[in-house]
Amino acid sequence: MLIESLRRSVENQGIGLQNIDIITQSNDHPWILQIPESLYLKCLWIRVLR
């Protein structure tokens, strides 16, 4: 939902977003595939293209 929110925020604004990197939580906070809510720490590095 984070990526979709970013995409919608620049929709119709003439601004593009380029993904540089996506960072998630470290291994001591495991992400369980059957429980999507367990992927709760995210960081998106993006470049704004005008």
Side-chain angles (χ1 to χ4, degrees):
M1 287 175 29
L2 178 61
I3 294 172
E4 181 64 14
S5 295
L6 280 170
R7 188 191 67 75
R8 286 185 176 189
S9 70
V10 298
E11 192 175 60
N12 303 320
Q13 299 295 320
I15 298 172
L17 299 177
Q18 179 183 31
N19 176 53
I20 304 299
D21 198 5
I22 299 175
I23 300 170
T24 59
Q25 62 240 30
S26 61
N27 292 334
D28 61 340
H29 294 271
W31 173 26
I32 302 166
L33 291 176
Q34 296 86 350
I35 307 172
E37 296 84 15
S38 64
L39 181 62
Y40 57 92
L41 297 174
K42 302 175 202 73
C43 175
L44 294 176
W45 290 94
I46 60 168
R47 177 177 294 136
V48 177
L49 305 171
R50 296 179 186 255

